[in-house]
Amino acid sequence: MAQYQQSLRSKVVREAKLKLSVHREQGVKSNMSIYEVAELMDKIRKGSEAEEKEQSIFFSVNLN
């Protein structure tokens, strides 16, 4: 299950990076709004934070 979630997360991040690179290439001709761009950037940032969190040695420790 964890492998599937990690794969899905990396796919979302990869697609967001691709859309941002297309937006960057199009420049002013791009039809994306600033909100859409911000949403893509948030997806990338949250994806990287989740990967860092999973790499922690204490990832599976439950504090309850």
Side-chain angles (χ1 to χ4, degrees):
M1 185 69 171
Q3 181 70 20
Y4 175 74
Q5 287 178 342
Q6 183 179 10
S7 174
L8 185 60
R9 187 177 304 120
S10 63
K11 181 181 177 183
V12 168
V13 170
R14 207 172 33 245
E15 287 178 357
K17 286 182 179 181
L18 178 65
K19 288 180 181 179
L20 277 178
S21 69
V22 169
H23 171 71
R24 188 177 302 122
E25 288 176 7
Q26 291 178 349
V28 245
K29 296 178 183 176
S30 176
N31 59 355
M32 291 180 72
S33 72
I34 192 167
Y35 299 108
E36 292 170 327
V37 173
E39 184 179 338
L40 291 173
M41 292 176 76
D42 287 343
K43 285 181 184 179
I44 293 171
R45 186 179 324 119
K46 288 179 184 177
S48 339
E49 289 175 359
E51 287 177 3
E52 291 174 5
K53 184 178 179 181
E54 286 180 2
Q55 292 176 356
S56 172
I57 192 169
F58 299 110
F59 178 73
S60 4
V61 174
N62 189 355
L63 299 176
N64 290 336

